Amino acid sequence: MKIEAITLREIQMPLVHFFETSFGRTYSRRIVLLTAHCDGVDGWGECVAGEDPFYSSEWIDSSWLTISRYLAPAVLGRSIESARDCAALFSKVRGHRMAKAALENALWDAEAKQTNQPLWKLLGGTRTEISCGVSIGIQDSVEQLLDKIQIELAAGYRRIKVKVKPGWDVNVLEKIRSRWADITLSCDANSAYTLDQVEHLRSFDQFNLLMIEQPLWDDDIFYHARLQKELRTAICLDESIVSARKAAIAVETGACRIINIKVGRVGGFTEAKKIHDICQSQKIPVWCGGMLESGIGRAHNIALSTLENFTLPGDVSASKRYWKEDIIDPEVRVSPQGMIAISGQPGTGYRVKEDLIEKLTVKKETLRA
Ligand code: OSB
Ligand code: MG
């Protein structure tokens, strides 16, 4: 597969509803999309970096520069046998995993199309449908949060995850549990706590949560291991797991009992598959996280979620929860049973709406060898 050209673009899309985490509120997304032009076939990738370096050190303008100055030149004009070989070409560049993933994943998409098979099969997936949960941000009031949960439960979602931070946690979880004693419920702190708050975090045990996601520092594993020994609730790591090596360390030290795999955070499908395999061999269940993706990243998350050890409902949910109109056709739909059906079509099974993307584009650059 020869990589002849790469097109980078930034699109802007307002969210249907703002999304708030412990690090801030987002009303509208700026998203970097990448097209890899390979032997007459176009592969699409999405960079999941945020508008600001708050979830991780990467952000969309850093990813654009990293791709155009370093990553694209490493592959342009070259022939590679498989998208699997891409990660090795980037090894000189430290970090910048979301930028790497945007390019690597576009090549996986191109390879699936060229070999006329579904991306999920190329990745080694086995599922014909995947189980969906929702991540619900911090709201202006607890009443608004309860209304949102009610709507998502009625839509069929199989797991509710709420964002927490000091001041929006025990009080909120209490209200949720007193209304719904038995739903599958998780919370995600996005690193909002420190080890001084062990007693406070231990009080979350009373809510019978499926997990508490990333309670401590974004780059920490060691203190999560200490915290996990103090909690009955399973810790799930998100931010800390940036590679297969970190996943192995987290599992070996007992820092978590569950891992959230985000393909962008770990640098692409190749590394995501490695983490999946390590967790499977160690009996650690995984699920697919989300980063408020457009349809392109969402379709990639769906393909990844078909791997066998994705046994817990992911944060991969319907397009309409985010966008008035998504950039893929059909948009992602979730059944009343909370499932997404997997397409047997080649590639992602979703058509990229290039006309709409053109209208949403605010910046574009084509790179050639
Ligand atoms: O921690 O999972 C997270 C969104 C942006 C940054 C970090 C996270 C999230 C989400 C949203 O929880 C998941 C989604 O609905 O895409
Ligand atoms: Mg998270």
Side-chain angles (χ1 to χ4, degrees), residues 167-187:
W168 180 276
D169 49 19
V170 173
N171 52 331
V172 173
L173 295 168
E174 246 162 20
K175 292 235 172 67
I176 298 172
R177 268 298 181 228
S178 64
R179 182 143 160 207
W180 296 283
D182 299 323
I183 58 168
T184 305
L185 181 65
S186 303
C187 72

Side-chain angles (χ1 to χ4, degrees), residues 48 60 68 80 159 162 170 187 219 295 310 346 358 365-366:
V48 302
I60 80 146
S68 62
I80 57 171
R159 183 223 63 204
V162 295
V170 173
C187 72
D219 61 347
F310 281 83
E358 208 56 58
E365 184 180 354
T366 295

Side-chain angles (χ1 to χ4, degrees), residues 13-21 24-29 51 134-149 151-152 163 168 291-293 298 317-325:
M13 293 172 85
L15 287 163
V16 168
H17 187 268
F18 68 79
F19 191 81
E20 183 173 330
T21 63
R25 191 178 273 200
T26 309
Y27 289 91
S28 183
R29 294 289 336 273
E51 291 72 31
V134 286
S135 172
I136 307 181
I138 295 165
Q139 306 296 316
D140 288 326
S141 69
V142 182
E143 289 64 41
Q144 276 173 22
L145 176 65
L146 297 178
D147 288 347
K148 284 205 160 272
I149 294 173
I151 290 167
E152 305 299 9
K163 294 289 186 177
W168 180 276
M291 292 288 284
L292 312 176
E293 288 92 346
R298 196 165 297 280
S317 56
S319 298
K320 67 174 183 206
R321 295 189 61 247
Y322 307 84
W323 318 114
K324 219 168 117 192
E325 183 180 2

Side-chain angles (χ1 to χ4, degrees), residues 6-244:
I6 289 171
T7 302
L8 272 179
R9 53 174 99 222
E10 176 185 331
I11 60 168
Q12 296 188 353
M13 293 172 85
L15 287 163
V16 168
H17 187 268
F18 68 79
F19 191 81
E20 183 173 330
T21 63
S22 59
F23 54 76
R25 191 178 273 200
T26 309
Y27 289 91
S28 183
R29 294 289 336 273
R30 295 173 59 204
I31 299 174
V32 172
L33 297 179
L34 186 153
T35 322
H37 309 280
C38 312
D39 306 323
V41 166
D42 282 352
W44 287 83
E46 172 168 346
C47 180
V48 302
E51 291 72 31
D52 305 292
F54 298 164
Y55 165 83
S56 72
S57 61
E58 280 188 278
W59 59 298
I60 80 146
D61 293 338
S62 77
S63 68
W64 182 291
L65 282 176
T66 305
I67 294 168
S68 62
R69 292 220 194 137
Y70 295 100
L71 307 179
V75 299
L76 277 168
R78 295 184 81 130
S79 284
I80 57 171
E81 202 152 306
S82 152
R84 257 173 274 266
D85 304 335
C86 180
L89 301 173
F90 300 155
S91 62
K92 212 168 159 185
V93 176
R94 291 203 174 140
H96 298 281
R97 294 179 173 89
M98 294 174 179
K100 290 173 178 171
L103 179 46
E104 187 192 311
N105 295 352
L107 298 179
W108 279 92
D109 183 39
E111 184 176 342
K113 285 178 187 150
Q114 258 170 15
T115 53
N116 207 31
Q117 61 181 316
L119 175 61
W120 62 271
K121 277 202 178 155
L122 181 63
L123 290 169
T126 53
R127 296 173 188 280
T128 57
E129 53 176 4
I130 62 162
S131 175
C132 307
V134 286
S135 172
I136 307 181
I138 295 165
Q139 306 296 316
D140 288 326
S141 69
V142 182
E143 289 64 41
Q144 276 173 22
L145 176 65
L146 297 178
D147 288 347
K148 284 205 160 272
I149 294 173
Q150 174 62 53
I151 290 167
E152 305 299 9
L153 290 171
Y157 286 101
R158 293 171 167 249
R159 183 223 63 204
I160 301 292
K161 157 175 144 185
V162 295
K163 294 289 186 177
V164 290
K165 63 175 183 182
W168 180 276
D169 49 19
V170 173
N171 52 331
V172 173
L173 295 168
E174 246 162 20
K175 292 235 172 67
I176 298 172
R177 268 298 181 228
S178 64
R179 182 143 160 207
W180 296 283
D182 299 323
I183 58 168
T184 305
L185 181 65
S186 303
C187 72
D188 185 358
N190 290 109
S191 307
Y193 301 91
T194 68
L195 211 52
D196 301 337
Q197 290 158 301
V198 174
E199 281 313 315
H200 180 63
L201 291 168
R202 214 204 309 267
S203 74
F204 289 28
D205 279 345
Q206 67 186 294
F207 302 114
N208 186 29
L209 302 175
L210 178 62
M211 68 191 87
I212 171 169
E213 192 177 335
Q214 198 72 34
L216 306 177
W217 305 275
D218 68 290
D219 61 347
D220 172 74
I221 293 175
F222 184 87
Y223 291 109
H224 279 95
R226 197 174 278 181
L227 177 64
Q228 180 66 91
K229 288 188 183 68
E230 304 290 328
L231 302 182
R232 247 191 313 117
T233 308
I235 292 178
C236 169
L237 290 178
D238 172 353
E239 282 88 331
S240 305
I241 307 301
V242 297
S243 66

Side-chain angles (χ1 to χ4, degrees), residues 341-361:
I342 305 301
S343 161
Q345 299 284 314
T348 63
Y350 296 91
R351 183 185 63 84
V352 172
K353 291 184 188 170
E354 297 193 38
D355 292 352
L356 176 59
I357 289 174
E358 208 56 58
K359 284 189 206 140
L360 300 171
T361 298

